Coordinates of all heavy atoms in Angstrom, one line a residue:
D1110 N 100.1 169.4 34.9 CA 101.0 168.8 34.0 C 100.4 167.6 33.3 O 100.5 167.5 32.0 CB 102.3 168.3 34.6 CG 103.2 169.5 35.0 OD1 102.9 170.6 34.6 OD2 104.2 169.3 35.8
E1111 N 99.7 166.7 34.0 CA 99.1 165.5 33.4 C 98.0 166.0 32.5 O 97.8 165.4 31.4 CB 98.6 164.6 34.5 CG 99.8 163.9 35.2 CD 99.3 163.3 36.6 OE1 98.1 163.4 36.9 OE2 100.2 162.8 37.2
D1112 N 97.2 166.9 32.9 CA 96.1 167.4 32.0 C 96.7 168.0 30.7 O 96.1 167.9 29.7 CB 95.2 168.4 32.7 CG 94.4 167.8 33.8 OD1 94.3 166.6 33.8 OD2 93.9 168.5 34.8
E1113 N 97.8 168.8 30.9 CA 98.4 169.4 29.7 C 99.0 168.4 28.8 O 98.9 168.5 27.6 CB 99.5 170.4 30.1 CG 100.0 171.2 29.0 CD 101.0 172.3 29.5 OE1 100.8 172.8 30.5 OE2 101.7 172.7 28.6
I1114 N 99.5 167.3 29.4 CA 100.1 166.2 28.6 C 99.0 165.6 27.8 O 99.1 165.4 26.6 CB 100.8 165.1 29.4 CG1 102.1 165.7 30.0 CG2 101.0 163.9 28.6 CD1 102.7 164.9 31.1
A1115 N 97.9 165.3 28.5 CA 96.7 164.7 27.8 C 96.2 165.6 26.7 O 95.9 165.2 25.6 CB 95.6 164.4 28.7
A1116 N 96.1 166.9 27.0 CA 95.6 167.9 26.0 C 96.6 168.0 24.7 O 96.1 168.0 23.6 CB 95.5 169.3 26.6
Q1117 N 97.9 168.0 25.0 CA 98.8 168.1 23.9 C 98.8 166.8 23.1 O 99.2 166.8 21.8 CB 100.2 168.4 24.4 CG 100.3 169.8 24.9 CD 101.7 170.1 25.4 OE1 102.7 169.4 25.2 NE2 101.9 171.3 26.1
M1118 N 98.4 165.7 23.7 CA 98.4 164.4 22.9 C 97.1 164.2 22.3 O 96.7 163.0 21.9 CB 98.9 163.3 23.8 CG 100.3 163.5 24.3 SD 100.8 162.2 25.4 CE 101.1 160.8 24.4
D1119 N 96.2 165.2 22.3 CA 94.8 165.0 21.8 C 94.0 163.9 22.5 O 93.4 163.1 21.8 CB 94.8 164.8 20.3 CG 95.1 166.2 19.6 OD1 94.9 167.2 20.2 OD2 95.5 166.1 18.4
I1120 N 94.0 163.9 23.8 CA 93.3 162.8 24.5 C 92.2 163.6 25.2 O 92.5 164.5 26.0 CB 94.1 162.1 25.5 CG1 95.2 161.3 24.7 CG2 93.3 161.1 26.3 CD1 96.3 160.9 25.6
S1121 N 90.9 163.3 25.0 CA 89.8 163.9 25.7 C 89.4 163.0 26.8 O 89.4 161.8 26.7 CB 88.7 164.2 24.7 OG 88.2 163.0 24.2
D1122 N 88.9 163.7 27.8 CA 88.3 162.9 29.0 C 86.8 163.3 29.1 O 86.5 164.4 29.5 CB 89.1 163.4 30.2 CG 88.6 162.6 31.5 OD1 87.9 161.6 31.3 OD2 89.1 163.0 32.6
D1123 N 86.0 162.3 28.6 CA 84.6 162.6 28.6 C 83.8 162.2 29.8 O 82.6 162.3 29.9 CB 84.0 161.9 27.4 CG 84.6 162.3 26.1 OD1 85.0 163.5 26.0 OD2 84.6 161.5 25.1
E1124 N 84.6 161.8 30.9 CA 83.9 161.3 32.1 C 83.2 162.5 32.8 O 83.7 163.6 32.8 CB 84.9 160.6 33.0 CG 85.3 159.3 32.6 CD 86.2 158.7 33.7 OE1 87.2 159.3 34.1 OE2 85.8 157.5 34.2
D1125 N 82.2 162.1 33.5 CA 81.6 163.1 34.4 C 82.3 163.0 35.7 O 82.5 162.0 36.3 CB 80.1 162.8 34.6 CG 79.3 163.0 33.3 OD1 79.7 163.7 32.5 OD2 78.2 162.3 33.2
D1126 N 82.7 164.2 36.2 CA 83.4 164.3 37.5 C 82.5 164.8 38.6 O 82.7 165.8 39.2 CB 84.6 165.1 37.3 CG 85.7 164.5 36.5 OD1 85.7 163.2 36.5 OD2 86.5 165.2 35.8
D1127 N 81.3 164.2 38.7 CA 80.4 164.6 39.8 C 81.0 164.4 41.1 O 80.7 165.2 42.0 CB 79.1 163.9 39.6 CG 78.3 164.2 38.3 OD1 78.7 165.3 37.7 OD2 77.5 163.5 37.9
E1128 N 81.6 163.3 41.3 CA 82.2 163.0 42.6 C 83.7 162.9 42.5 O 84.2 162.4 41.5 CB 81.7 161.6 43.1 CG 80.4 161.5 43.7 CD 80.0 160.2 44.3 OE1 80.9 159.5 44.8 OE2 78.9 159.8 44.2
P1129 N 84.4 163.3 43.5 CA 85.9 163.2 43.5 C 86.2 161.8 43.7 O 85.5 161.0 44.3 CB 86.3 164.0 44.8 CG 85.1 164.1 45.7 CD 83.9 164.0 44.8
E1130 N 87.3 161.3 43.0 CA 87.8 160.0 43.1 C 88.4 159.7 44.5 O 88.4 158.6 45.0 CB 88.8 159.7 42.1 CG 88.3 159.6 40.7 CD 89.3 159.2 39.7 OE1 90.3 158.5 40.0 OE2 89.0 159.5 38.5
T1131 N 88.9 160.7 45.1 CA 89.5 160.6 46.4 C 89.4 161.9 47.3 O 89.3 162.9 46.7 CB 91.0 160.1 46.4 OG1 91.5 160.0 47.7 CG2 91.8 161.1 45.6
L1132 N 89.4 161.7 48.6 CA 89.3 162.9 49.4 C 90.6 163.2 50.1 O 90.8 164.2 50.8 CB 88.3 162.7 50.5 CG 86.8 162.5 50.0 CD1 85.9 162.2 51.2 CD2 86.4 163.8 49.4
I1133 N 91.6 162.5 49.7 CA 93.0 162.6 50.3 C 93.6 163.9 49.7 O 93.9 164.0 48.5 CB 93.8 161.4 50.1 CG1 93.2 160.2 50.7 CG2 95.2 161.7 50.6 CD1 93.9 158.9 50.5
D1134 N 93.8 164.9 50.6 CA 94.4 166.2 50.2 C 95.7 166.3 50.9 O 96.2 167.5 51.2 CB 93.5 167.3 50.5 CG 93.1 167.4 52.0 OD1 93.4 166.5 52.7 OD2 92.5 168.5 52.3
Y1135 N 96.4 165.3 51.2 CA 97.7 165.3 51.9 C 98.5 164.1 51.4 O 98.0 163.2 50.8 CB 97.5 165.2 53.4 CG 96.6 164.1 53.8 CD1 97.0 162.7 53.9 CD2 95.2 164.3 54.0 CE1 96.1 161.7 54.2 CE2 94.3 163.3 54.3 CZ 94.8 162.0 54.5 OH 93.9 161.0 54.8
E1136 N 99.8 164.2 51.6 CA 100.7 163.1 51.2 C 100.9 162.1 52.3 O 101.3 162.4 53.4 CB 102.1 163.7 50.9 CG 102.2 164.4 49.5 CD 102.0 163.5 48.4 OE1 102.5 162.3 48.4 OE2 101.4 163.9 47.4
L1137 N 100.5 160.9 52.0 CA 100.6 159.8 53.0 C 102.0 159.5 53.4 O 102.2 159.3 54.6 CB 99.9 158.5 52.4 CG 98.5 158.3 52.4 CD1 98.1 157.1 51.7 CD2 97.9 158.3 53.8
D1138 N 102.9 159.6 52.5 CA 104.3 159.3 52.8 C 104.9 160.4 53.7 O 105.9 160.1 54.4 CB 105.1 159.3 51.5 CG 104.7 158.1 50.6 OD1 104.1 157.2 51.1 OD2 104.9 158.2 49.4
E1139 N 104.3 161.6 53.8 CA 105.0 162.6 54.6 C 104.4 162.7 56.0 O 104.8 163.4 56.8 CB 104.7 163.9 53.9 CG 105.5 164.0 52.5 CD 105.2 165.3 51.9 OE1 104.6 166.2 52.4 OE2 105.7 165.4 50.7
L1140 N 103.4 161.9 56.3 CA 102.8 161.9 57.6 C 103.6 161.1 58.6 O 104.0 160.0 58.4 CB 101.3 161.4 57.6 CG 100.3 162.2 56.8 CD1 98.9 161.4 56.8 CD2 100.1 163.6 57.4
S1141 N 103.7 161.6 59.8 CA 104.4 161.0 60.9 C 103.4 159.9 61.5 O 102.2 159.9 61.2 CB 104.8 162.0 62.0 OG 103.7 162.5 62.6
E1142 N 103.9 159.1 62.5 CA 103.1 158.1 63.1 C 101.9 158.8 63.8 O 100.8 158.3 63.7 CB 103.9 157.3 64.0 CG 103.2 156.1 64.7 CD 104.1 155.3 65.6 OE1 105.3 155.3 65.4 OE2 103.5 154.6 66.5
D1143 N 102.2 159.9 64.5 CA 101.1 160.6 65.3 C 100.1 161.2 64.4 O 98.9 161.2 64.7 CB 101.8 161.6 66.2 CG 102.6 161.0 67.3 OD1 102.3 159.9 67.8 OD2 103.6 161.7 67.8

Side-chain angles (χ1 to χ4, degrees):
D1110 286 348
E1111 289 164 2
D1112 290 342
E1113 189 172 333
I1114 289 168
Q1117 289 181 12
M1118 296 175 78
D1119 283 340
I1120 300 167
S1121 63
D1122 185 8
D1123 299 331
E1124 281 187 311
D1125 293 333
D1126 289 332
D1127 296 339
E1128 276 187 38
E1130 288 185 24
T1131 181
L1132 295 176
I1133 299 175
D1134 59 349
Y1135 47 85
E1136 283 294 323
L1137 280 174
D1138 296 337
E1139 295 175 6
L1140 293 177
S1141 66
E1142 184 176 339
D1143 292 334

